[in-house]
Amino acid sequence: MTWRKAFITSLFIALLAVPFVIDYFSGGAAEEALDREKALERYGFYFEEVAKKSGIDFVHKAPSLDPKLDNIMPQIASMGAGVSIVDFDRDGWSDIYLTNSGEGSQNALYRNNGDGTFTDVASEVGVSDVNKDGTGVSMGAIWGDFDNDGFEDLLVYKWGRSALYRNKGGKSFEELEVPAFPEWANINSGIWFDFDRDGNLDIFLGGYFREDINLWKLENTRIMPESFEYAKNGGRKYLLRNLGDGKFEEVSKQMGIDSNRWALAAGAADLTGNGYPDLFVANDYGVSELYINDDGKRFIDASEASGIGFSPKSGMNASFGDVMNDGRLSIYETNISERGILLQGNNLWVPREGTSGADVKFDNLANAVGVEDGGWAWGSQFGDFDNDGDQDIFLTNGYVSADKNVNYWYDFSKVTLGNNSIIADAANWPAMEGRSLSGYQQKKLWANDGKGGFSEIALAVGIRETLDGRAVAVADLWNRGVLDVIVANQKGPALIYKNHVSDGRNWIAFAFENDDAIGARITVFRDKLMQTQEIHGGSGYCSQNQRRAHFGLGGTAKVEKVVIRYPSGETKVIESPEINKIHRVQIPG
Amino acid sequence: MSTEASNITVPQKAPVMPMKTFGIDTRLVMPLLITLILLVGQVFYGILESYPQTLLAIGVAILFDAVLSKIDRGHFPFLASAYISGISVGILTRSPFLWTFALCAAITITSKYVLRIKGRHLWNPSNFGIAAMLLIAPSAYSTLSFQWGNNFAAMTVIWVLGCIIIYRLKRFHITFTYILSFIFFAGIRSLWTGDAFLAEVAPITGAMYQLFIFFMITDPATTVRHSRKAQIVVVFLIAAAEMVLRMMENVHAPYYALFIVGPIANLVDIYWLKKPE
């Protein structure tokens, strides 16, 4: 062999070794589980799962749909475990609402007793029996004070007839007739937001399956997406303007929202800086959508112009976080990643430097910062879990956990590659027969290092359950100045991760006394950083966080000032606020 | 996919390629058609995850071919083959990482220089690159891709351009045999598994599969040269191997089938089959 041949052969062997070298040097090995003391020492925080200890014994039930779908029932009846945080009685403690999806099953409202325990009062106050036969079943729930009486009302969006419940002074609820609601629709995402900033909360609802489909009484089995990544045969979208007199009107098309993509998550935040909430919709089976709010007059579809509307994936989450501490919100969208089979990767849409206003553009930096591979990822939320001053990410995942020894991926990939006439008909999908599909997955917690990188440490900080997670919500459940995490699992128990944070990590929080504050923007100025958060009327996947802004401060002993922009657009400046304190804020008017 | 127009030894009885096709240098026809497919796919379906990934794959393929050819043979090659390999890698790779595109392209091109016997390739270079990446980098690399959607319009584009190319290469019998074989084996699988026939036949109705059956299994540089009959037998065996892999629920069955059968067939062709008069 000549030296030339030897060189080329050596090069060839070296190339084949590259992935192993990258694995070795990238620290590919997963973090090991640590006990509480070691985790606190190494990472500064630790999660303890306390659901049962706290009196929360909720177990989600899946619906039993038309038997024509029996072959892939675990796949279709795979959603409905939602969680939302509310202080429904305004006692200063965050309560938890969990949705159920079995026919006739009960939703739960866990009132926070303030002593570390919770009591389910859903039945007592009238928000439990919402999955009655013939009305469909819950997919998620969101809370917002649509009638401005100081108490947050409840919207349960369903596969079926969505329902609105008025909160009567924090003591009971009454269901309202809302003619503007669709008679029947398969809604999988919903948010409250005041898109026209008139002081009345409006509603966005995103359809998944077409609205003419009743999943309990199918006329035929042609209900599936026409394409795995280019489908436009999903449910329609609804934008319900609050008229202020207890009535709503449907204005989606009039306002520029006309899409039949398969929406799975939605979120609203002011991404352009004009003070009006823009709308992001994460779609399954296709590209996601960004609607820029033109000062409340209309929505402009900026999906492609912003850089978001390319590269179709399986969007399942919409959450917002200021990951760079520069006052700009990024969008986190989850997708599917399965080793060796399908690597869509999650998207972290970060606003591009030098772009702003309606011309804002986003780049997907999920890979660059290390938050891309979340498995078959569902709900995710930002939160400063270690109180170090940076936004971390909690993500839950797992699709169908059944027989551990056999999986459905081969059949799934086989049919989804096919022509639309094949993939769109559920009858063509091979029977799952008890097989798993991306089941038993390890959840993710990405700790932000504050330098543009994230490290995955879920196992190390106590997150060990591998249930089929769906919704994630974040709240300071026990008013301790730390963020706890609540996870709703499909066909499984709800989990409460109580957060324990090391001493010496400062924080500051802002709770709104007289208003849900949805749309408020809070910016903390300290150490030449701008930490920004908004209060959302729903985010993540079928979930809603507390209506309180919590900021970790790390070792910072002084905050220079805090600027609060109320939903109306008015601003308030608080100079040198006290730290390690929940500030109670009254919103004017 | 590789044309290797400048590298292969043309068999004596093989049809002589015209120097011009539609008034264009023959060696440029294939790159132009492949580029057209890429552009149509991007304009109408946005098939490229990002331009940098595809450009990187093309750039690395060209760079490696130029450098390795200079080292190995002392001259720079006609780069159409590398360009096509780069595009193939760019289209068929699904990965969140940039390095996987570069590495796949590098392995693809380098394999052409290393895995040769009597001046002939054993593997289709792109097939080798993709199969190797699936084996050595499963956590970072995948080919399962839906970028072309699931409709007939995309199929039509590939079919028209594909037919032009394989007609020019006189290889329609290979594609046609593979399609018939796939459908035949789909029927057997359906009977065996109890799954709907349409489910079994579904993969070949998707647009991405057309790239495999039109451009990868028909590659003149890596198909057997003995006779049309031998090519038909080989492609039937590829479909049969794919059937076995599918029964084992292998998601990447077509790539592995070609990866296994291709070199065996070429070895038999090189050492044992007498060339027809």
Side-chain angles (χ1 to χ4, degrees):
Chain A
M1 184 184 282
T2 65
W3 73 266
R4 296 166 194 271
K5 290 285 180 198
F7 170 77
I8 295 172
T9 303
S10 302
L11 173 67
F12 183 58
I13 293 167
L15 288 171
L16 293 174
V18 165
F20 303 101
V21 176
I22 288 175
D23 260 2
Y24 181 80
F25 285 105
S26 66
E31 282 288 332
E32 58 181 357
L34 300 177
D35 61 28
R36 181 167 158 172
E37 283 67 35
K38 281 187 182 159
L40 284 169
E41 186 185 336
R42 188 178 300 177
Y43 299 111
F45 73 117
Y46 183 78
F47 280 117
E48 176 190 8
E49 204 290 300
V50 297
K52 279 189 182 164
K53 199 192 292 185
S54 308
I56 293 175
D57 55 0
F58 180 87
V59 178
H60 176 264
K61 295 182 184 69
S64 300
L65 307 172
D66 191 307
K68 294 190 193 78
L69 300 174
D70 277 352
N71 55 328
I72 51 171
M73 189 67 79
Q75 237 192 104
I76 305 294
S78 63
M79 294 184 275
V83 57
S84 48
I85 305 300
V86 62
D87 182 5
F88 80 94
D89 51 4
R90 292 230 164 257
D91 65 354
W93 297 88
S94 290
D95 312 302
I96 303 169
Y97 189 71
L98 292 156
T99 57
N100 217 332
S101 314
E103 298 79 1
S105 64
Q106 307 291 300
N107 291 4
L109 175 59
Y110 283 97
R111 179 162 55 201
N112 192 332
N113 299 322
D115 60 358
T117 66
F118 292 81
T119 305
D120 183 7
V121 297
S123 176
E124 184 184 319
V125 301
V127 289
S128 66
D129 195 14
V130 302
N131 304 311
K132 296 187 189 86
D133 273 351
T135 69
V137 298
S138 304
M139 286 292 118
I142 45 174
W143 296 80
D145 183 10
F146 86 93
D147 54 2
N148 292 321
D149 68 349
F151 289 89
E152 291 193 70
D153 311 292
L154 170 65
L155 169 62
V156 180
Y157 49 90
K158 301 162 75 174
W159 287 354
R161 263 196 72 80
S162 295
L164 178 62
Y165 297 87
R166 187 199 303 273
N167 186 337
K168 296 164 71 176
K171 293 183 171 59
S172 65
F173 291 79
E174 65 174 343
E175 183 174 357
L176 302 179
E177 277 297 317
V178 185
F181 277 11
E183 187 62 30
W184 188 275
N186 297 296
I187 305 295
N188 261 96
S189 56
I191 56 168
W192 291 103
F193 70 140
D194 185 5
F195 74 82
D196 50 6
R197 238 170 56 177
D198 65 351
N200 300 309
L201 282 180
D202 312 299
I203 300 168
F204 172 82
L205 296 174
Y208 191 66
F209 292 100
R210 291 192 320 268
E211 49 281 359
D212 63 335
I213 293 171
N214 181 330
L215 289 161
W216 288 264
K217 295 175 185 171
L218 291 182
E219 291 175 9
N220 58 63
T221 50
R222 296 190 57 77
I223 65 164
M224 301 298 280
E226 63 196 347
S227 165
F228 191 73
E229 291 193 343
Y230 293 87
K232 292 182 180 174
N233 63 336
R236 59 162 291 189
K237 311 295 167 281
Y238 302 86
L239 183 62
L240 299 155
R241 189 204 303 269
N242 185 342
L243 301 176
D245 55 359
K247 294 182 179 148
F248 293 82
E249 67 170 338
E250 207 292 305
V251 295
S252 57
K253 287 182 184 166
Q254 176 188 330
M255 293 298 291
I257 298 172
D258 185 9
S259 166
N260 280 85
R261 295 190 184 277
W262 293 64
L264 270 186
D270 180 12
L271 301 169
T272 62
N274 67 349
Y276 288 83
D278 307 297
L279 176 65
F280 175 78
V281 184
N283 294 311
D284 201 359
Y285 308 121
V287 296
S288 291
E289 295 163 306
L290 176 64
Y291 294 96
I292 297 289
N293 190 331
D294 183 14
D295 293 349
K297 298 190 289 284
R298 62 178 177 144
F299 282 98
I300 300 165
D301 184 352
S303 309
E304 293 193 359
S306 65
I308 281 173
F310 298 102
S311 186
K313 296 183 181 177
S314 307
M316 289 180 266
N317 182 77
S319 48
F320 304 93
D322 179 6
V323 291
M324 307 295 180
N325 278 341
D326 59 0
R328 301 180 307 160
L329 295 176
S330 299
I331 308 165
Y332 192 55
E333 177 185 15
T334 59
N335 296 295
I336 303 170
S337 295
E338 178 71 19
R339 181 185 161 95
I341 297 179
L342 177 60
L343 297 171
Q344 290 182 330
N346 298 335
N347 298 332
L348 178 64
W349 296 111
V350 178
R352 187 180 302 165
E353 288 287 349
T355 66
S356 60
D359 296 324
V360 65
K361 299 203 172 358
F362 293 84
D363 295 309
N364 177 16
L365 299 188
N367 177 240
V369 304
V371 295
E372 188 157 52
D373 181 2
W376 192 303
W378 291 87
S380 180
Q381 297 288 0
F382 288 97
D384 189 353
F385 303 111
D386 50 6
N387 274 349
D388 70 344
D390 306 302
Q391 290 287 298
D392 312 304
I393 296 174
F394 187 106
L395 176 148
T396 193
N397 54 18
Y399 191 15
V400 178
S401 295
D403 189 333
K404 282 186 175 175
N405 299 314
V406 282
N407 78 68
Y408 187 68
W409 261 111
Y410 168 74
D411 284 312
F412 186 87
S413 66
K414 184 170 65 182
V415 76
T416 50
L417 278 173
N419 182 264
N420 51 18
S421 61
I422 297 174
I423 182 177
D425 191 342
N428 291 329
W429 288 61
M432 292 192 73
E433 296 170 333
R435 286 178 284 179
S436 292
L437 183 57
S438 290
Y440 304 101
Q441 297 200 324
Q442 170 62 47
K443 313 311 161 200
K444 307 285 183 181
L445 194 146
W446 280 293
N448 187 337
D449 64 9
K451 300 168 191 162
F454 287 76
S455 305
E456 206 292 295
I457 56 169
L459 197 56
V461 297
I463 301 159
R464 290 166 194 171
E465 287 70 22
T466 56
L467 301 166
D468 290 334
R470 293 295 179 269
V472 175
V474 169
D476 181 357
L477 289 176
W478 292 284
N479 293 340
R480 299 172 300 141
V482 299
L483 289 178
D484 309 297
V485 176
I486 306 92
V487 181
N489 294 297
Q490 187 75 8
K491 294 171 72 175
L495 301 177
I496 310 294
Y497 287 106
K498 186 174 186 178
N499 193 358
H500 303 276
V501 178
S502 297
D503 294 337
R505 293 175 177 231
N506 298 319
W507 56 275
I508 191 168
F510 299 88
F512 298 89
E513 293 274 88
N514 59 331
D515 194 295
D516 54 36
I518 290 170
R521 189 178 180 97
I522 303 96
T523 304
V524 170
F525 293 80
R526 55 107 184 164
D527 303 329
K528 297 181 181 171
L529 297 175
M530 292 170 65
Q531 293 172 250
T532 296
Q533 292 181 29
E534 284 193 14
I535 307 297
H536 303 293
S539 67
Y541 170 81
C542 293
S543 58
Q544 185 178 17
N545 293 334
Q546 64 179 1
R547 248 72 71 233
R548 181 188 296 182
H550 172 97
F551 297 87
L553 300 173
T556 297
K558 180 176 167 52
V559 166
E560 290 143 32
K561 67 176 178 180
V562 172
V563 177
I564 300 175
R565 189 182 72 196
Y566 298 126
S568 65
E570 287 179 57
T571 59
K572 171 181 180 163
V573 179
I574 307 173
E575 299 286 351
S576 304
E578 186 180 342
I579 63 170
N580 298 327
K581 176 184 174 182
I582 300 170
H583 293 259
R584 307 281 171 181
V585 179
Q586 291 278 336
I587 293 185
Chain B
M1 287 180 252
S2 167
T3 54
E4 275 299 285
S6 62
N7 298 331
I8 62 172
T9 305
V10 179
Q12 283 190 336
K13 292 293 181 184
V16 177
M17 298 288 183
M19 291 304 290
K20 297 277 186 181
T21 302
F22 308 125
I24 302 168
D25 182 336
T26 292
R27 296 175 302 172
L28 293 175
V29 172
M30 180 79 95
L32 285 172
L33 288 172
I34 297 277
T35 304
L36 189 57
I37 288 176
L38 186 74
L39 290 176
V40 169
Q42 177 63 5
V43 169
F44 292 102
Y45 300 96
I47 61 170
L48 301 181
E49 175 99 356
S50 75
Y51 288 109
Q53 291 174 340
T54 307
L55 291 175
L56 181 65
I58 294 170
V60 168
I62 287 174
L63 177 69
F64 266 67
D65 207 21
V67 171
L68 294 181
S69 178
K70 184 70 178 168
I71 293 171
D72 190 41
R73 298 163 191 163
H75 62 83
F76 288 111
F78 188 68
L79 292 169
S81 169
Y83 173 75
I84 292 169
S85 294
I87 287 185
S88 307
V89 168
I91 291 178
L92 294 172
T93 290
R94 192 79 191 253
S95 170
F97 304 103
L98 271 177
W99 65 265
T100 53
F101 288 81
L103 182 62
C104 189
I107 290 173
T108 294
I109 297 301
T110 313
S111 75
K112 291 199 308 183
Y113 291 87
V114 176
L115 305 173
R116 303 173 74 96
I117 287 181
K118 294 190 174 180
R120 283 180 57 181
H121 301 317
L122 290 182
W123 277 273
N124 171 285
S126 300
N127 174 244
F128 183 90
I130 289 168
M133 289 297 287
L134 287 169
L135 290 168
I136 65 178
S139 60
Y141 185 89
S142 170
T143 63
L144 186 55
S145 188
F146 311 89
Q147 289 111 316
W148 287 82
N150 305 62
N151 62 47
F152 279 112
M155 290 270 287
T156 305
V157 171
I158 302 176
W159 268 86
V160 169
L161 296 175
C163 285
I164 292 172
I165 292 172
I166 62 170
Y167 171 78
R168 199 184 72 79
L169 295 173
K170 300 191 185 310
R171 271 165 159 69
F172 195 82
H173 59 285
I174 295 177
T175 297
F176 189 64
T177 302
Y178 182 84
I179 293 170
L180 287 182
S181 305
F182 187 95
I183 293 170
F184 169 70
F185 287 124
I188 291 179
R189 287 198 306 271
S190 176
L191 290 173
W192 183 269
T193 62
D195 292 340
F197 173 70
L198 285 176
E200 294 299 340
V201 89
I204 207 168
T205 66
M208 286 304 293
Y209 225 86
Q210 312 313 313
L211 298 172
F212 177 76
I213 63 176
F214 273 112
F215 306 127
M216 196 173 275
I217 60 173
T218 59
D219 177 13
T222 55
T223 46
V224 294
R225 297 175 186 174
H226 177 265
S227 62
R228 283 165 60 96
K229 195 181 289 180
Q231 289 169 346
I232 287 171
V233 169
V234 169
V235 80
F236 176 80
L237 291 174
I238 292 169
E242 184 185 348
M243 146 95 175
V244 173
L245 290 166
R246 286 190 173 280
M247 294 300 286
M248 297 161 67
E249 303 205 335
N250 189 304
V251 173
H252 306 294
Y255 297 113
Y256 287 138
L258 179 58
F259 182 79
I260 293 166
V261 175
I264 296 171
N266 279 325
L267 282 171
V268 172
D269 190 36
I270 292 166
Y271 286 109
W272 288 285
L273 290 183
K274 188 182 172 188
K275 300 293 179 286
E277 290 301 316

